[in-house]
Amino acid sequence: MISQQLEEKSIRKAKALVDSAEKVTVICHTSPDGDAIGSSLAAAQVLGALGKDVHVVVPDSFLSNLSALPGAKEIVDAAKYFDFACSLVKDCDLLLCLDFNEPGRVGRLKEALLASEAPKILIDHHLNPQLEADVLISHPEMAATAYLLFRVICRLELFNFIDRRGAECILAGMMTDTGNFSYNCSDPELYIVVAELMRKGADKEKLNRQLFNTFSANCLRLNAYAVFKKMEIFKEQHMALIALSRDELNRFHYTRGDTEGLVNRPLAIPGVEASVFMRQESDCIRVSMRSLGDVSVKDICSEYFNGGGHVNAAGGEFRGTLDEAVEHLRSNLPQIYKRFIAPCLK
Ligand code: 5GP
Ligand code: MN
């Protein structure tokens, strides 16, 4: 099967906590993506099969393409049921924290998370975990939390408890964080896991369509408009920018998720090493960045946009107007290029 990567001591502690827990709450980050939701639902499936009373709690809603994942209907959304969600976070025997590295990432559930006296297991692949947990299983080198979770489940000797539903959720997480196995996917053991999940009945073709190839007409039009009319290439700096205002989004009846993946598009252009996408929201400008190779958009986002993330996929925000955000980027382009891009060019 796959090589052992996880520390025996953490596994032993996690096993003791799982064994002794009856009520388990699973929690993930805000604006949960396929990895956050996939991991959470898979963990819930396996813990449910063990006879635990499990709830999955999310800080806010997730994209509709994830709502077809097995178990998604049972998720408790704190944006709708705040008090219930908080009570689940506080009143449980075990809090399973998935796909986030610090308390701020759970948004409105931060206070409840910090106040909860339940033992915590953190399973995550973001850098620099800053959550006090009884068991910390942090592996930033792994492509997805779902992939790491699969390894944890195997080490806990619970492989046989993963059924088709759990397998599908783990695969959804792995597909999401690797862009359907197009980046962060050089680890050969990823594919051993995929094979095991498919053997358990995960339908990869169905997931492919659900997660990556289902769009409304408005969404397709908005993306075409963004590339045709709004994409700016900064050739000298090897960067690209797409910025969309509220008015533009409204013209295409934007709903959350409609610009998912748009930030990747300019990276298809030879010479573009880092891509920025800005979207005007009601209270701030959301910034998304993607890059190739060693160019760290995590560092760029943390320096210029109060954010962070992974080396090749990061995000942040800007307080001000969209024009100011664009100007902020523009005026810092030479510096960004010199510090973060030029040193990585071959
Ligand atoms: P996205 O561009 O899809 O919103 O985010 C890409 C990645 O960047 C996410 O997986 C997340 O790890 C990270 N990220 C996005 N926004 C923020 C932010 O505001 N702060 C931090 N620390 N990380 C972020
Ligand atoms: Mn993830």
Side-chain angles (χ1 to χ4, degrees):
M1 266 276 291
I2 50 176
S3 62
Q4 280 204 8
Q5 309 261 341
L6 315 180
E7 228 183 55
E8 182 59 33
K9 202 171 122 216
S10 307
I11 294 297
R12 236 181 298 131
K13 266 173 96 176
K15 184 164 170 37
L17 288 176
V18 169
D19 283 349
S20 62
E22 271 178 39
K23 284 203 285 189
V24 185
T25 298
V26 184
I27 180 174
C28 62
H29 61 76
T30 59
S31 306
D33 60 1
D35 190 30
I37 295 294
S39 303
S40 299
L41 291 175
Q45 183 270 299
V46 171
L47 292 165
L50 287 173
K52 314 284 180 193
D53 178 11
V54 200
H55 285 93
V56 175
V57 167
V58 293
D60 50 16
S61 65
F62 48 88
L63 299 182
S64 59
N65 63 349
L66 299 173
S67 54
L69 286 179
K73 304 272 181 296
E74 271 71 58
I75 291 177
V76 178
D77 179 354
K80 287 189 196 144
Y81 308 102
F82 182 66
D83 292 341
F84 182 44
C86 288
S87 73
L88 289 170
V89 170
K90 288 184 190 160
D91 179 24
C92 62
D93 310 321
L94 176 62
L95 202 49
L96 192 53
C97 304
L98 298 178
D99 203 36
F100 66 93
N101 56 352
E102 50 115 354
R105 292 285 292 148
V106 299
R108 56 168 63 77
L109 287 170
K110 180 177 171 185
E111 266 79 55
L113 173 72
L114 293 174
S116 177
E117 287 174 9
K120 299 180 185 77
I121 300 178
L122 176 73
I123 302 177
D124 179 47
H125 70 140
H126 295 88
L127 290 165
N128 308 326
Q130 284 161 26
L131 179 77
E132 273 188 42
D134 299 78
V135 181
L136 190 68
I137 303 181
S138 164
H139 282 264
E141 78 283 9
M142 296 212 183
T145 293
Y147 176 53
L148 176 57
L149 175 73
F150 178 86
R151 289 174 172 277
V152 175
I153 292 170
C154 291
R155 287 290 294 280
L156 293 173
E157 298 175 358
L158 299 175
F159 174 81
N160 289 333
F161 287 85
I162 304 175
D163 68 15
R164 181 196 56 79
R165 295 167 302 158
E168 206 140 287
C169 292
I170 294 174
L171 186 53
M174 292 171 63
M175 289 167 74
T176 299
D177 272 19
T178 58
N180 207 4
F181 299 102
S182 58
Y183 47 78
N184 257 340
C185 58
S186 309
D187 169 5
E189 295 193 350
L190 282 170
Y191 306 93
I192 298 177
V193 174
V194 172
E196 292 297 336
L197 297 171
M198 290 175 72
R199 246 195 277 280
K200 281 185 181 280
D203 185 341
K204 191 165 176 299
E205 290 177 23
K206 182 185 75 182
L207 285 176
N208 185 57
R209 186 161 172 76
Q210 261 173 26
L211 299 176
F212 296 100
N213 218 2
T214 303
F215 305 101
S216 68
N218 277 322
C219 170
L220 285 181
R221 290 197 172 97
L222 171 62
N223 280 270
Y225 166 79
V227 172
F228 180 41
K229 293 280 193 192
K230 302 302 306 270
M231 182 173 67
E232 232 182 307
I233 313 282
F234 306 107
K235 204 161 177 243
E236 272 176 37
Q237 287 83 17
H238 297 261
M239 288 181 69
L241 167 70
I242 295 174
L244 292 175
S245 69
R246 210 61 241 167
D247 281 350
E248 289 169 319
L249 295 165
N250 289 342
R251 248 173 78 191
F252 295 93
H253 307 281
Y254 169 83
T255 58
R256 233 180 79 201
D258 281 355
T259 53
E260 198 76 24
L262 179 57
V263 63
N264 291 299
R265 303 293 300 278
L267 289 178
I269 303 164
V272 174
E273 304 286 327
S275 165
V276 188
F277 171 57
M278 294 179 184
R279 187 181 62 226
Q280 185 178 25
E281 300 206 335
S282 56
D283 56 342
C284 71
I285 308 299
R286 267 310 299 172
V287 177
S288 249
M289 285 196 72
R290 298 291 184 271
S291 65
L292 301 177
D294 295 332
V295 175
S296 174
V297 285
K298 172 180 172 288
D299 292 342
I300 301 175
C301 282
S302 89
E303 176 103 13
Y304 297 94
F305 294 107
N306 199 23
H310 309 272
V311 172
N312 296 129
E317 60 181 38
F318 180 88
R319 299 270 154 185
T321 66
L322 186 63
D323 287 344
E324 285 163 355
V326 170
E327 186 44 39
H328 176 63
L329 176 76
R330 236 186 249 287
S331 60
N332 283 296
L333 272 181
Q335 213 190 99
I336 293 174
Y337 172 71
K338 194 166 150 223
R339 293 179 60 199
F340 301 105
I341 298 188
C344 305
L345 296 177
K346 297 265 156 49

